[in-house]
Amino acid sequence: MISAYYVFDSDSDSDSDGEETANIRIQRQILRVKSDPLNLSSSAFKKSFRISKEMFLTILSEIEAKFPPLKGAGLTPKEKLAATLRFLAEGRHGVGQDWNVAIAQSTFSPLFRQTLKILEETQCPKRIKLEMDASEQKEARQYFYEQSGIPDIVVCADGTHIKLIAPKDNRDQYCNERGFCSLNVLMICDHTMTIRYVNARYSGANDAADIWVASGVDKFFAEKYGSGNRDFKVLVDSAYPSKPWIVTPKRNATINSPEAVHNNRHAKARHIIERSFGLLKNRFRCLLAANQLHYTPEIVGRITNVCCALHNYCISENMTDQ
C-alpha cells in the first residue's frame, strides 16, 4: 500500500523571542489576547484562514497535545495554528485586515516549522489516501465515463510546479524548464477534486515521467492491474508512459480520426486535475507562482503536503467558498 511522501525537518522547534524587550513581548501578548481569531464572524474567519471555525477547533483538538508545555508568555497552540494557517492562506506572515497576530518574524519562523511538522504528521495520513472504497470507485468511473466515454478511469494525475527561492545546494536541479526554481509536485485527484496522492519530494528539473516511476505510484497501479482490478486506471497527459493502467492521449492523431476524438474526450476529462490545482492554490495562496516560498525544499514540500490535506478537509466539509 502506497502513501504520500512526507519530509520531516530537523530544524529546532523551540520558540525564540530574539532581541525583543520584555515590554514589547508583554504588549504583543496583550494584542494576541484581544485579537482572538474565534471572535471573527464565520465569513471573516473563512476568508482569513480558508477553513471554518468548526474545522479549526477540530484540528486544534487533534494537535494541541503535540506541542510542548506553554512557558510564560509564550504562544498558545491556538495562536500557533492561527498564525500558520494565515501564512498558508496568503503566503506571507502578518498580513490581512480581518485578523492579524502580533508575532515578530523571529518568533514566527520557528513556530511555523513546529506547527507545520505537527500538522503534517497528524493531518496528512488521515486526509490523503490513494485507496478508494467500492462506492468511491463506482462514482469516479461514472464521472470520468460521462466526461469522456473512456471506461475504467478512477483518478487523474499530473505535476504542478511550486515556486521556491533558489537553494544554496544543487541550484541547477531546482531550475525548471520555465526558468524559475521549484518543486515538481506529482498529484493525483479524483472526480471530486480531492487530492488522493501528493509527492512533493522532487526538484523542478525532474521529468514528470521519471517522477511517476521513482515515486512508486506506478507500481501501485501496476499491482492493482496485475491482481485483476482492471477498472482502476489513471488518466494522464502525453508526458507519461502509456501502459494498460495508464490512459494517455493518442499520438499523431489526424483531424476527425477516432484518435482525435479520443484525445478531445481525454482532454475534457483531464480538466479535473487543472481545476484541482486551481482550487488548491487559490484557497492556499502560498502555493501560487506569485508567492515564491523562502524556505528550504524540504519545508516547501511540507507546506505543500499540509495544504493538500487541508484542501481535502475543506472538500469533505463541502466548503466551496475560498
Side-chain angles (χ1 to χ4, degrees), residues 188-207:
I188 298 175
C189 78
D190 67 14
H191 59 296
T192 68
M193 292 190 284
T194 296
I195 304 298
R196 288 285 179 171
Y197 175 85
V198 55
N199 192 315
R201 180 181 180 180
Y202 295 97
S203 58
N206 280 283
D207 179 75

Side-chain angles (χ1 to χ4, degrees), residues 1-200:
M1 178 177 178
I2 190 168
S3 61
Y5 179 86
Y6 304 123
V7 182
F8 297 110
D9 183 50
S10 60
D11 291 349
S12 171
D13 289 331
S14 61
D15 287 340
S16 172
D17 292 316
E19 298 179 354
E20 295 175 8
T21 65
N23 285 337
I24 292 175
R25 290 199 300 272
I26 292 171
Q27 290 170 9
R28 285 198 169 114
Q29 186 185 25
I30 293 171
L31 286 172
R32 292 197 296 268
V33 171
K34 290 182 177 180
S35 61
D36 186 338
L38 294 175
N39 291 331
L40 292 171
S41 68
S42 295
S43 60
F45 190 95
K46 289 179 182 179
K47 181 180 178 182
S48 293
F49 302 106
R50 306 296 192 262
I51 63 174
S52 68
K53 290 184 183 182
E54 294 76 16
M55 294 164 67
F56 181 92
L57 290 171
T58 296
I59 293 173
L60 182 61
S61 69
E62 293 171 348
I63 70 173
E64 202 162 8
K66 304 288 184 180
F67 288 93
L70 187 65
K71 295 181 179 179
L75 291 160
T76 65
K78 180 172 72 174
E79 291 166 339
K80 292 180 180 181
L81 177 59
T84 297
L85 290 175
R86 189 67 182 137
F87 177 91
L88 298 180
E90 296 295 339
R92 299 182 300 279
H93 163 57
V95 298
Q97 297 178 347
D98 291 322
W99 183 85
N100 195 359
V101 68
I103 302 174
Q105 181 61 46
S106 59
T107 301
F108 175 76
S109 187
L111 83 79
F112 179 63
R113 285 174 166 81
Q114 178 192 50
T115 309
L116 201 64
K117 179 181 179 182
I118 292 171
L119 285 171
E120 186 180 50
E121 291 174 339
T122 59
Q123 302 303 304
C124 291
K126 179 179 180 179
R127 306 194 186 278
I128 305 175
K129 298 179 181 179
L130 189 50
E131 289 285 1
M132 303 171 72
D133 63 31
S135 176
E136 290 171 331
Q137 291 182 46
K138 182 179 178 180
E139 289 181 9
R141 282 192 290 268
Q142 181 177 349
Y143 169 86
F144 284 108
Y145 186 77
E146 289 175 351
Q147 291 293 310
S148 67
I150 303 172
D152 305 330
I153 305 298
V154 293
V155 288
C156 188
D158 202 358
T160 186
H161 287 275
I162 304 300
K163 194 172 183 179
L164 50 75
I165 192 169
K168 294 180 180 179
D169 299 324
N170 301 319
R171 174 191 169 92
D172 291 344
Q173 286 297 312
Y174 289 89
C175 187
N176 62 45
E177 59 185 9
R178 302 175 191 177
F180 60 86
C181 289
S182 68
L183 295 181
N184 191 354
V185 181
L186 172 63
M187 293 190 196
I188 298 175
C189 78
D190 67 14
H191 59 296
T192 68
M193 292 190 284
T194 296
I195 304 298
R196 288 285 179 171
Y197 175 85
V198 55
N199 192 315

